[in-house]
Amino acid sequence: MTAAAAALGLTVTLSGCGTGSGSGDVTLKLVAADYGNSAANSSEKYWDALAADFEKSHPGIKIDVNVYSWKDVDRKVAEMVEKGQAPDIAQIGAYADYAKAGKLYSAEQLLSIPVEANFLPAMADAGKVDRTQYGLPFVASTRLLFYNKKFFGQAGLDAPQTWSDIRDDAAVLKQRGVTYPFALPLGQEESQAETMMWLLSGGGGYTDDVDSYDIDSPENIATFNWLKTNLVDKGLVGPVAPGKLDRAKAFEAFTHGQVGMLNGHPTLMQEAEKNGVKVGMVPLPGIGGPTQGSMGVADWAMGFKQNNHRVEIGKFFDFVFEDKNVMAFADEYDLLPVTDSASVKMETDSKHKPLRKFLKALPNSELYPFGKTSWARTSELIKEKIGKAVEPGSSPADVLGEISRGAAAAEDAE
């Protein structure tokens, strides 16, 4: 795509409109999330190398790289924006509230035509507010159920396909001394993802057919009643209460051979295999069989208008979304590319064979309701409260009802 653009003389200014400096020395402030789990694989290394490469071919444009953990990055950007110090570029978890407030450039204003057209259609659509794309999908993943092949083989168990299988297998694993028969991370780190996976497998979700929040639907309440009664109350989720267990801790326990089953994404596969844990992966089990479709997750890049650097931001994004750079990030963290051309390369390259199950699930996956400007607040509500739904003596209906009312209030406030 990039080569074609060069051959045709297509530049960011063809599709861009509005103002931009376009000349002189400019420093773009970039704030990005850290996908690594140690200093050795921090995302800062990727961005520093990418910035240095970009600066060599774009004299006069410098990139000031700032990388924060996922626990902090969205809050950091929100604080910067509130203080009137928005970064030029952010790579974070949500974009819609900034788009609705008129703070972002659209994709059309930033990207060359070939780059804008190269996003996977479902990802591009998820980046739209009022039919205009503001969120640039940066990287994606889908989720599967992971299980420890060694534990299952020793116990004579087959891979689970239904909720009943999960319950019964977890009971066997508990009897055999597995620390976390089924790890259920409903702590604040990423419980909105764990929650959505279970809601989808129970025939529900965060929204209804007309894209209105439906968090306390009968299907969702039934799902959490099942979780509480069949896994949590039976002591099948391990020594840490789900509301206190963060995803990172659950993943770490899996990579150390302490977990029988959990819902996971591609990065976990890499880390587990490094530690000699043999991983099995199957579609998310549902009530009567494997769930049709999967949960998809996309993270977002965006360009802020505040510093009037449209042209320079556009040049940098055109560079970011070249295949070699998209693939370098995906390879580093075992994630999925968000462009057509890079997806084809991953699908046909034998070294990416372990990721093909995830890649196959991506086109039919269901994403968070990213286009809702209330989603950022709703996501925080889920993180804060969902763990209480499975606590002893709790009522899942009451907790889901409280989250649902908060989501409705956030939607009404927009």
Side-chain angles (χ1 to χ4, degrees):
M1 286 293 187
T2 305
L8 294 171
L10 298 173
T11 69
V12 69
T13 54
L14 270 175
S15 58
C17 55
T19 60
S21 55
S23 62
D25 290 340
V26 168
T27 297
L28 300 178
K29 183 169 184 176
L30 179 149
V31 175
D34 194 352
Y35 291 73
N37 56 11
S38 68
N41 71 342
S42 169
S43 299
E44 189 167 2
K45 290 187 174 183
Y46 170 84
W47 287 111
D48 283 343
L50 188 72
D53 196 15
F54 173 79
E55 289 170 0
K56 288 178 185 176
S57 56
H58 295 80
I61 306 176
K62 302 294 182 183
I63 309 297
D64 174 22
V65 173
N66 302 267
V67 174
Y68 299 97
S69 74
W70 268 113
K71 281 191 173 183
D72 298 324
V73 68
D74 289 286
R75 175 178 52 81
K76 288 279 190 183
V77 171
E79 290 172 352
M80 292 175 190
V81 173
E82 188 174 345
K83 292 176 182 177
Q85 301 170 356
D88 295 286
I89 296 165
Q91 186 271 299
I92 52 178
Y95 67 87
D97 48 349
Y98 300 124
K100 196 74 171 181
K103 296 182 181 297
L104 301 181
Y105 291 114
S106 69
E108 185 180 14
Q109 289 174 307
L110 292 173
L111 303 176
S112 63
I113 293 171
V115 172
E116 184 184 359
N118 196 27
F119 290 121
L120 295 170
M123 295 292 152
D125 286 344
K128 293 179 180 179
V129 172
D130 296 333
R131 298 185 295 279
T132 297
Q133 184 182 354
Y134 296 94
L136 311 181
F138 178 70
V139 73
S141 69
T142 52
R143 304 299 167 92
L144 299 173
L145 183 134
F146 284 53
Y147 63 96
N148 184 306
K149 279 189 171 182
K150 178 182 176 181
F151 292 161
F152 272 66
Q154 290 173 339
L157 299 172
D158 295 324
Q161 297 188 50
T162 67
W163 286 1
S164 295
D165 291 342
I166 289 176
R167 177 197 60 208
D168 297 344
D169 293 349
V172 172
L173 295 174
K174 180 182 180 181
Q175 290 175 349
R176 298 179 67 87
V178 175
T179 306
Y180 293 88
F182 190 99
L184 184 65
L186 296 177
Q188 290 197 23
E189 182 192 356
E190 206 196 21
S191 53
Q192 82 281 9
E194 184 72 19
T195 298
M196 185 170 170
M197 283 182 272
W198 281 102
L199 299 186
L200 291 174
S201 67
Y206 285 136
T207 58
D208 59 19
D209 292 339
V210 293
D211 202 34
S212 296
Y213 285 120
D214 199 20
I215 295 171
D216 60 346
S217 69
E219 293 85 357
N220 293 346
I221 292 171
T223 293
F224 267 82
N225 280 331
W226 189 92
L227 277 174
K228 184 178 185 301
T229 302
N230 289 273
L231 294 185
V232 181
D233 290 351
K234 292 182 183 298
L236 300 179
V237 295
V240 180
K244 302 293 184 184
L245 182 64
D246 280 345
R247 178 197 63 173
K249 291 297 183 183
F251 280 16
E252 182 182 3
F254 186 85
T255 65
H256 286 85
Q258 298 172 333
V259 175
M261 296 171 278
L262 83 173
N263 294 322
H265 59 59
T267 304
L268 176 60
M269 175 181 62
Q270 180 187 65
E271 292 301 313
E273 290 175 350
K274 281 181 183 177
N275 288 348
V277 175
K278 292 184 178 179
V279 179
M281 296 176 291
V282 292
L284 302 178
I287 297 172
T291 303
Q292 298 301 309
S294 176
M295 187 191 83
V297 174
D299 299 322
W300 303 95
M302 61 211 72
F304 282 87
K305 292 179 177 179
Q306 181 174 318
N307 299 318
N308 196 34
H309 291 155
R310 179 187 64 81
V311 171
E312 294 83 2
I313 295 170
K315 289 179 180 178
F316 183 66
F317 275 140
D318 275 2
F319 185 78
V320 166
F321 290 109
E322 289 180 10
D323 280 353
K324 65 176 182 179
N325 297 324
V326 171
M327 292 299 292
F329 195 90
D331 282 346
E332 178 65 29
Y333 300 107
D334 271 345
L335 293 169
L336 305 179
V338 293
T339 62
D340 280 315
S341 53
S343 294
V344 169
K345 287 187 176 181
M346 178 171 281
E347 200 171 288
T348 55
D349 189 338
S350 60
K351 78 174 184 177
H352 294 115
K353 186 176 179 180
L355 288 173
R356 287 177 185 166
K357 284 186 178 181
F358 296 95
L359 196 62
K360 182 179 179 181
L362 187 59
N364 296 319
S365 64
E366 185 165 338
L367 302 173
Y368 298 134
F370 287 117
K372 283 182 168 294
T373 55
S374 58
W375 170 241
R377 175 56 187 150
T378 299
S379 177
E380 289 302 315
L381 282 171
I382 295 165
K383 291 178 186 179
E384 292 168 12
K385 299 181 182 297
I386 196 63
K388 298 176 183 177
V390 295
E391 288 180 353
S394 69
S395 165
D398 289 346
V399 175
L400 290 172
E402 184 180 359
I403 295 171
S404 188
R405 290 189 295 274
E411 182 81 351
D412 290 343
E414 295 299 336

